[in-house]
Amino acid sequence: MPSNTRDELKLVADTDELIKACEELKKGEFIAVDTEFHRESTFWPKLCLIQAATLEFDCLIDPLSPNIDLTPFLELMADTSRVKVFHAARQDMEIFTKLIGTPPAPIFDSQIAAMACGLGDSVSYENLVSQLLKAKIDKSSQFTDWVRRPLTEKQLNYARGDVTHLRHAYVILKAKLEKLDRMKWIEEETSILVDPNTYDTNPKNAWKRMKIRKPRKDYLALIAAVSEWRETVAQDMDKPRSRVLKDDAVQEIAQQKPADENAMERLRAVPKGFVKSRHGQALMETIQAALQNPDAYAPEIPRRPTSTQPPGAVGDLLKVLLKHVSEEAEVAPRLIANAADIERIACDDEPDVPAMRGWRREVFGDLAMKLKDGKIAIAISKTGVKVFDV
């Protein structure tokens, strides 16, 4: 295999070729990585293609080939001495965490980096490439069937572009962040992506995915018990959670507390006849066990802090301040604070929210509290909004 495949499109489909490709990838200071996968009808993502690139080398890896063992590449991904570059890394990280057993680290997410450079809120890869590299991506192959073999040359060229552009975008974004002294911001933002708890699939923790609507113990017991049951079945069958039971049905069961099959049949969100299906009896047993002993099933949830609701204008002023500081710092506002942060800051004197920690506090949080305390004010000037001491 040549040391530079920029002009040659090659699909790595056996272990010997993969070992050679990984030797080339090891020569780079970083690896740009992307994947194509299928998940519409499965619980676990089915990995269909891996794209990897350094500044001098790129390759496409076929994980569905019967002649390939991915171990050499997975060892490279697990190597903590080399940065792995993704765009919108969450789903790719989930795939590699399952394959490796731990999240790859360290990582650089170009979508987060773009927000920290003021290039937009959750900017798409296509827009990022357009803004930074003045290049255009043909997205017509994005939603093609990546499971079917052989892959077409059009598919492979599209997939290759997901990392050959990304490697150059990384160099530009990294230089911008270093100039602005914001690389630590990216480390803070990606800390959740390299935390194993982010990819927890333990069925006992499945209730955490649900919106908690009531603090009552019997409701919480059913939310936890039914969520765990659904997660276990979905994983065992390798089916999406919604194919087993939709969230609305889990919520309705928790609120209505059906004690028998007749009560279950009357629920609107539960499919008709479900209680007679192969999994219906097991679900009924789960519900009855939770109803008989809610203390054993109900999770402990933190109490929401109570506070006096401030006038709506307080939140509006905080939003103006956020927009002002985000423009001044050239950062996407949502990276600094979201709507929930603004609400808590407006309500509480000591809000425990991300906007009041780390770099966000330096950029916005301290100013927000000063605005609430009347120590600073916002005014309109000829050049725009102005913040000044009172």
Side-chain angles (χ1 to χ4, degrees), residues 363-383:
V363 173
F364 172 70
D366 285 337
L367 286 174
M369 298 310 294
K370 287 181 179 179
L371 181 63
K372 272 189 64 179
D373 294 340
K375 295 178 180 179
I376 62 172
I378 298 174
I380 298 174
S381 68
K382 290 182 180 180
T383 56

Side-chain angles (χ1 to χ4, degrees), residues 217-387:
K217 188 156 287 188
D218 54 356
Y219 167 85
L220 293 172
L222 283 172
I223 281 286
V226 177
S227 295
E228 179 180 352
W229 171 86
R230 181 180 67 166
E231 194 81 357
T232 301
V233 173
Q235 291 184 18
D236 289 346
M237 295 178 64
D238 195 18
K239 296 290 184 184
R241 297 177 186 91
S242 61
R243 297 275 183 96
V244 178
L245 202 66
K246 294 185 182 298
D247 285 358
D248 287 349
V250 177
Q251 289 284 359
E252 189 175 12
I253 289 170
Q255 294 186 53
Q256 298 299 325
K257 302 181 285 296
D260 53 42
E261 292 184 4
N262 289 332
M264 179 72 93
E265 284 288 351
R266 289 195 293 270
L267 299 183
R268 295 179 63 182
V270 177
K272 297 304 177 186
F274 181 85
V275 73
K276 302 293 186 183
S277 69
R278 56 181 291 204
H279 295 295
Q281 190 58 46
L283 175 57
M284 283 306 309
E285 291 172 1
T286 297
I287 293 169
Q288 289 166 357
L291 287 173
Q292 289 168 11
N293 190 6
D295 287 336
Y297 289 87
E300 292 290 334
I301 60 171
R303 294 284 182 180
R304 290 185 178 181
T306 57
S307 57
T308 303
Q309 189 70 19
V314 176
D316 292 339
L317 280 173
L318 288 170
K319 290 175 184 177
V320 172
L321 177 65
L322 174 61
K323 183 171 178 58
H324 170 69
V325 299
S326 65
E327 290 175 350
E328 288 280 301
E330 296 185 342
V331 183
R334 196 172 67 84
L335 190 64
I336 300 174
N338 58 28
D341 290 347
I342 294 294
E343 182 180 344
R344 287 256 55 87
I345 293 170
C347 293
D348 298 342
D349 291 333
E350 296 181 2
D352 183 16
V353 294
M356 296 302 297
R357 297 191 289 269
W359 67 268
R360 290 181 174 86
R361 179 160 194 144
E362 296 176 15
V363 173
F364 172 70
D366 285 337
L367 286 174
M369 298 310 294
K370 287 181 179 179
L371 181 63
K372 272 189 64 179
D373 294 340
K375 295 178 180 179
I376 62 172
I378 298 174
I380 298 174
S381 68
K382 290 182 180 180
T383 56
V385 171
K386 180 181 178 181
V387 176

Side-chain angles (χ1 to χ4, degrees), residues 171-184:
V171 172
I172 295 171
L173 288 169
K174 183 171 180 286
K176 285 179 176 288
L177 291 166
E178 288 175 341
K179 184 178 180 179
L180 294 167
D181 194 24
R182 292 179 183 174
M183 283 299 292
K184 286 190 177 297

Side-chain angles (χ1 to χ4, degrees), residues 96-163:
F96 286 115
T97 297
K98 188 172 189 298
L99 291 172
I100 299 170
T102 187
I107 69 165
F108 182 97
D109 189 322
S110 60
Q111 188 177 70
I112 294 173
M115 293 171 74
C117 290
L119 297 179
D121 184 1
S122 300
V123 63
S124 69
Y125 182 65
E126 182 179 13
N127 287 336
L128 180 68
V129 169
S130 176
Q131 289 188 64
L132 288 184
L133 307 176
K134 310 304 179 187
K136 186 176 182 180
I137 297 176
D138 179 5
K139 304 291 286 186
S140 61
S141 295
Q142 182 177 12
F143 299 111
T144 55
D145 186 352
W146 293 99
V147 177
R148 181 177 296 181
R149 292 298 185 268
L151 295 170
T152 67
E153 185 171 350
K154 185 177 181 181
Q155 283 179 300
L156 295 175
N157 276 311
Y158 160 77
R160 187 186 196 186
D162 280 346
V163 287

Side-chain angles (χ1 to χ4, degrees), residues 31-52:
I31 305 174
V33 184
D34 190 41
T35 65
E36 305 299 338
F37 59 90
H38 176 83
R39 199 177 194 171
E40 286 76 10
S41 59
T42 62
F43 181 91
W44 307 106
K46 185 178 182 66
L47 183 58
C48 301
L49 190 67
I50 302 171
Q51 305 96 284

Side-chain angles (χ1 to χ4, degrees), residues 15-30:
T15 305
D16 288 340
E17 286 183 332
L18 181 60
I19 291 172
K20 293 176 183 177
C22 288
E23 288 301 318
E24 295 296 330
L25 292 170
K26 287 178 183 177
K27 296 176 183 178
E29 294 182 1
F30 67 90

